[in-house]
Amino acid sequence: MSQYSVGGMRPQLVIEVGDRTLSSLLITPVGQVLPCSEEIHGIATRYLSSEIFFDPRQSVDPDFIWEEAAEALAKATSRNFFQRARRLGLRRPWDPQPSSDWLRLPSPLAVLSAPAALTDTATRPVLAAVSIILLEALLDPIFAFVSQRGFAVKETEVFVVIPSYIGQRARLSLHRVFRRRGFSRLTLVNREIAAAMTLLDEDVPAVVVLDVASDGIHLHHVRLEGTGPLRQVRTLALRTVRGFGWSHWIQQMVAALRALHLSPAPLGSLSSDLDRALMGLILGNPAAPDLPPLSPSLRLSRELLQEILGTEQLLRWTTELRCNLEPALAGIDAVGLPMILLGTLSGLEPLEQILLSSAGGAQPLAIAQVPVLERASRGVTQALLWLRRDIERRVETPPSGSLRVDTLSGEALEMLPATRLPDPGEECYMRQSFRLADNGVAGVPFFLRLLWGSDSSPHGNAVFCALPVEVDSVASKERIFSLSIRLRRSNGGHRLSGDIEAGFDAKAPVRAFAAIDFPQFTSRTRG
């Protein structure tokens, strides 16, 4: 009897792709939850770093030949990718002889979510191909974990948790990675939705999710509705508070180290070393002892962190952050709601205190007792186990957010809310004219960005479409810009696609096709 056939249940794999980490759980057919792990330096590691570093010293070596290195990389598989990629200077965080000169590369999902990934015809095919092999190599230890336990990939349901601002091109690349590895079904779940699923059986009708990203804090107002066998989880609103992400707190701690005269290291080196040392501390990484000290006689510890983030510092930073969070929380009608903290940096206890104090809330016990790095993956896992207990149960994640346009002035103007989407199998048409701001610059091209999401600023939304628009002398005089969109919804209602035309009346419009998926959280847990 195969493991799949036990009780008619399928194995289910839940992977959270965070900003800098990977967390994964495997639910066996009999309902056992297994944390996926990778062996690093002979030690099983629960949380995996998704970071990739570039060592520039490799490429300046006189004997280095780009063509040979690229050819070797093109022949790599996901299992030997990082071994071959060393010739290009690509490194993992736990590789020996780390250096502060190493540059941390953006994640493949972030790169594919950028407008350039949609508009640059020269790099677009290369970006997709490289990103897919990078993603597959990063996920390979998780795939190996599943195979080593005897589960067939074709019989395994996969749920991947990603930030809400990840664009459609990146999402399609994830689908390709899992298809290449033989998985037949993949469901993508937004992080804030996944984390809120932890509260399905709690008396909590709404929650605010604070997701600390690399460049800011995303505040999501998430609603949990329904009784009996049916539950609905949706995001009502989102605000992004810029400037309080990972890099901000690194610089704040560097300044505190300087003020305490604890490190004479150069500023750039200190920032880089502190960044990597914090990651080692948060992950409990067995490679952490090999990380460079902050100075020849100084190594990061939780005790040193408490000294850096002393009471006076905590109070000052809490006050500063509160002044920025309170208006954002009021703007999404989330003042006083229970909270969920997400993001790698939230794993540091002193910063967790700052975030909770600044937002004026507390986390439900069901959330607080779950480690930060697996709160979203645990939420999905608990929802799947909840579904297994009764075949009549359903968890729905209806489309939320709206189609928006980036005004290029820090706003995302709403064009079509989710409540006005065309019905499944139907289509709609819209046309809008805009007047360009007179900035005194003629002939300067710009990207027209159509977005999907709940953020009133562009930063927390996913890119639906990005079009390069030329502004010639005639267009710069007229300054009237037209945008036409014909939207179609698939028969199942899970995909919205559109034909877009944009430009000035005096010249031919730029055309593009775009699509975005609305994956429904469903589960075929019974054969």
Side-chain angles (χ1 to χ4, degrees):
M1 180 183 294
S2 71
Q3 295 194 59
Y4 164 64
S5 65
V6 176
M9 297 290 185
R10 296 174 180 269
Q12 295 166 314
L13 179 63
V14 182
I15 304 172
E16 179 181 355
V17 183
D19 46 356
R20 302 175 71 166
T21 59
L22 294 172
S23 169
S24 184
L25 300 167
L26 177 65
I27 308 176
T28 69
V30 295
Q32 182 183 10
V33 179
L34 304 176
C36 301
S37 61
E38 178 179 11
E39 189 171 286
I40 300 175
H41 300 328
I43 300 175
T45 305
R46 169 68 188 87
Y47 304 116
L48 309 180
S49 171
S50 60
E51 297 183 310
I52 303 170
F53 289 87
F54 174 63
D55 183 359
R57 298 172 300 180
Q58 191 82 12
S59 58
V60 298
D61 189 294
D63 296 328
F64 181 82
I65 301 175
W66 275 104
E67 289 76 10
E68 291 183 359
E71 183 179 353
L73 195 60
K75 298 177 181 178
T77 66
S78 61
R79 293 176 178 82
N80 65 11
F81 175 83
F82 285 107
Q83 180 182 357
R84 295 198 175 205
R86 290 182 62 84
R87 297 183 61 182
L88 283 173
L90 298 184
R91 300 285 188 268
R92 302 297 297 271
W94 51 82
D95 282 350
Q97 299 179 339
S99 169
S100 59
D101 295 332
W102 287 7
L103 305 174
R104 185 167 60 86
L105 302 181
S107 73
L109 294 182
V111 171
L112 289 175
S113 298
L118 299 173
T119 57
D120 191 329
T121 56
T123 61
R124 185 166 53 191
V126 177
L127 278 177
V130 172
S131 296
I132 287 170
I133 187 65
L134 275 173
L135 286 168
E136 190 173 355
L138 288 169
L139 294 168
D140 188 69
I142 297 173
F143 298 150
F145 183 92
V146 175
S147 297
Q148 289 165 7
R149 277 140 189 86
F151 297 112
V153 294
K154 287 186 177 180
E155 300 169 351
T156 303
E157 289 184 292
V158 183
F159 300 82
V160 177
V161 180
I162 56 176
S164 59
Y165 50 82
I166 295 301
Q168 182 70 359
R169 187 166 178 79
R171 295 171 186 243
L172 290 175
S173 294
L174 275 172
H175 279 279
R176 288 192 62 186
V177 167
F178 283 88
R179 283 200 301 269
R180 281 164 56 126
R181 295 306 291 259
F183 293 92
S184 60
R185 187 178 184 216
L186 169 66
T187 299
L188 300 178
V189 187
N190 286 350
R191 268 161 62 91
E192 76 279 7
I193 296 291
M197 286 179 178
T198 306
L199 305 173
L200 284 176
D201 261 346
E202 304 287 329
D203 186 20
V204 180
V207 67
V208 58
V209 180
L210 282 74
D211 192 349
V212 184
S214 60
D215 60 349
I217 301 176
H218 301 289
L219 303 171
H220 306 261
H221 182 169
V222 182
R223 188 82 183 171
L224 296 97
E225 301 171 328
T227 58
L230 176 63
R231 298 287 193 277
Q232 285 192 340
V233 187
R234 72 175 77 204
T235 301
L236 296 186
L238 164 63
R239 291 290 185 279
T240 299
V241 179
R242 300 275 285 174
F244 286 90
W246 179 280
S247 58
H248 168 80
W249 297 109
I250 289 291
Q251 295 309 313
Q252 293 290 325
M253 283 184 265
V254 166
L257 278 170
R258 293 289 195 182
L260 293 171
H261 306 289
L262 292 177
S263 178
L267 183 61
S269 173
L270 180 56
S271 296
S272 176
D273 288 347
L274 179 59
D275 183 293
R276 297 184 60 220
L278 278 173
M279 280 299 296
L281 197 64
I282 292 170
L283 294 173
N285 195 328
D290 297 327
L291 293 170
L294 306 181
S295 70
S297 60
L298 184 67
R299 187 175 296 278
L300 186 67
S301 65
R302 295 194 179 276
E303 292 72 23
L304 175 58
L305 186 62
Q306 290 288 352
E307 184 176 357
I308 297 172
L309 305 175
T311 303
E312 185 177 342
Q313 292 280 17
L314 288 175
L315 289 174
R316 182 169 61 85
W317 293 347
T318 299
T319 301
E320 180 186 10
L321 183 56
R322 182 183 293 121
C323 293
N324 288 270
L325 287 184
E326 285 182 344
L329 288 168
I332 60 173
D333 195 23
V335 175
L337 290 181
M339 296 187 177
I340 300 177
L341 294 186
L342 297 179
T344 306
L345 200 61
S346 301
L348 295 174
E349 184 178 349
L351 288 176
E352 180 183 25
Q353 296 174 12
I354 292 174
L355 291 164
L356 291 174
S357 299
S358 302
Q363 298 188 108
L365 180 60
I367 297 295
Q369 63 189 6
V370 177
V372 167
L373 296 182
E374 60 181 57
R375 281 180 181 163
S377 55
R378 282 284 174 185
V380 174
T381 301
Q382 290 186 35
L384 292 172
L385 293 175
W386 183 81
L387 287 168
R388 285 188 179 206
R389 290 195 288 270
D390 187 340
I391 195 172
E392 300 298 325
R393 288 180 173 178
R394 296 289 183 271
V395 177
E396 295 181 354
T397 56
S400 57
S402 61
L403 181 66
R404 298 169 181 260
V405 61
D406 184 355
T407 65
L408 305 180
S409 60
E411 294 181 304
L413 181 65
E414 184 177 76
M415 299 186 67
L416 181 71
T419 54
R420 295 180 56 193
L421 285 175
D423 292 331
E426 301 294 330
E427 66 177 39
C428 68
Y429 176 81
M430 63 182 69
R431 179 180 174 87
Q432 183 72 48
S433 295
F434 303 91
R435 177 173 293 276
L436 295 185
D438 187 2
N439 55 15
V441 180
V444 177
F446 67 92
F447 283 118
L448 170 70
R449 293 204 305 162
L450 293 178
L451 313 168
W452 184 270
S454 306
D455 199 348
S456 59
S457 67
H459 312 293
N461 301 305
V463 176
F464 178 72
C465 177
L467 287 170
V469 179
E470 298 287 342
V471 185
D472 57 24
S473 56
V474 175
S476 64
K477 291 178 182 178
E478 296 180 352
R479 316 208 66 77
I480 301 298
F481 178 79
S482 297
L483 174 64
S484 300
I485 309 174
R486 185 176 298 277
L487 295 173
R488 292 177 298 277
R489 196 168 178 187
S490 64
N491 291 333
H494 303 323
R495 166 166 282 215
L496 184 71
S497 58
D499 295 305
I500 298 101
E501 288 189 357
F504 301 91
D505 293 339
K507 61 185 304 183
V510 180
R511 294 182 173 87
F513 172 81
I516 193 164
D517 291 326
F518 304 125
Q520 297 295 299
F521 185 84
T522 57
S523 174
R524 294 184 301 186
T525 56
R526 298 186 183 274

